[in-house]
Amino acid sequence: MIDPTADRALFRQLADELRRQIAAGELAPGERLPSEGALGQHYHLARTAVRSALGVLRAEGLVESVRGLGWVVRDRGELRPVRLGKGDEATIVLGEGLPQVVVSRKDGTTETFPADQVVIRPA
């Protein structure tokens, strides 16, 4: 739980608690998290602390904000291989806090994938 007397910042404690719940399966992939207000009320935290905690979890790829739903536990799914042919390049970029792999194909096309969902393989 959250200890206001601890040396660790309150938002980090909340991020730790939510991360633990996700890892334990108490919050399943695709499941909506309680609203920011409800989380703040339950853990006796200001909304700014709740938002900071959710930002940490988003940067880690554990949750995402979905328009109309609020915060949702991300479903990482199975890792899928991405094949690189001769002349193709893969670059890692930071998008919305979550690293992404951008594959630039020799023919000029590009594909973008969440970095935690792919494995790069040579063709």
Side-chain angles (χ1 to χ4, degrees), residues 21-34:
Q21 290 177 23
I22 292 168
E26 295 170 25
L27 292 170
E31 185 174 341
R32 290 176 55 185
L33 275 64

Side-chain angles (χ1 to χ4, degrees), residues 42-102:
H42 180 77
Y43 291 103
H44 307 288
L45 297 174
R47 191 169 285 211
T48 55
V50 172
R51 285 182 181 150
S52 294
L54 293 170
V56 167
L57 297 177
R58 180 178 67 179
E60 294 174 3
L62 296 175
V63 300
E64 61 187 334
S65 179
V66 177
R67 174 171 264 154
L69 290 179
W71 290 94
V72 177
V73 177
R74 239 177 112 243
D75 183 2
R76 294 187 195 191
E78 294 289 320
L79 287 178
R80 64 185 242 199
V82 174
R83 302 262 180 218
L84 293 182
K86 188 172 183 170
D88 293 345
E89 292 183 1
T91 307
I92 297 178
V93 297
L94 191 61
E96 288 294 313
L98 179 66
Q100 297 181 345
V101 175
V102 177

